[in-house]
Amino acid sequence: MVDKEQAEVGEAFGQVVGGCKRLLSSAEQTHQAATEVKAAHQAEYGPVHAAATTSRARQAKPGFYKPL
């Protein structure tokens, strides 16, 4: 027979498991979002970077072009 203290401990462990599952879900969602952002960034800026690094022409240093 399970006494009250054992039931409380079991309930506490259940809450911990629930929290861990929510944390894992959040981490997986964050990872997926970061993967999508990385792919979008690579698609948009990858060709620009490739062209700049393979070009023999001198490139402006970062900060040379300032927004108006």
Side-chain angles (χ1 to χ4, degrees):
M1 183 169 159
V2 176
D3 66 8
K4 183 178 178 184
E5 188 174 293
Q6 289 173 327
E8 289 174 355
V9 170
E11 184 179 331
F13 276 125
Q15 291 174 349
V16 169
V17 168
C20 289
K21 287 180 179 180
R22 288 189 299 277
L23 178 62
L24 177 60
S25 177
S26 294
E28 288 173 343
Q29 290 173 2
T30 301
H31 174 68
Q32 182 62 36
T35 300
E36 291 170 7
V37 167
K38 179 182 176 184
H41 178 79
Q42 180 63 31
E44 186 170 352
Y45 293 105
V48 174
H49 179 265
T53 56
T54 58
S55 173
R56 294 178 58 189
R58 290 179 51 193
Q59 303 294 316
K61 294 184 190 275
F64 178 78
Y65 297 105
K66 297 184 182 186
L68 300 175

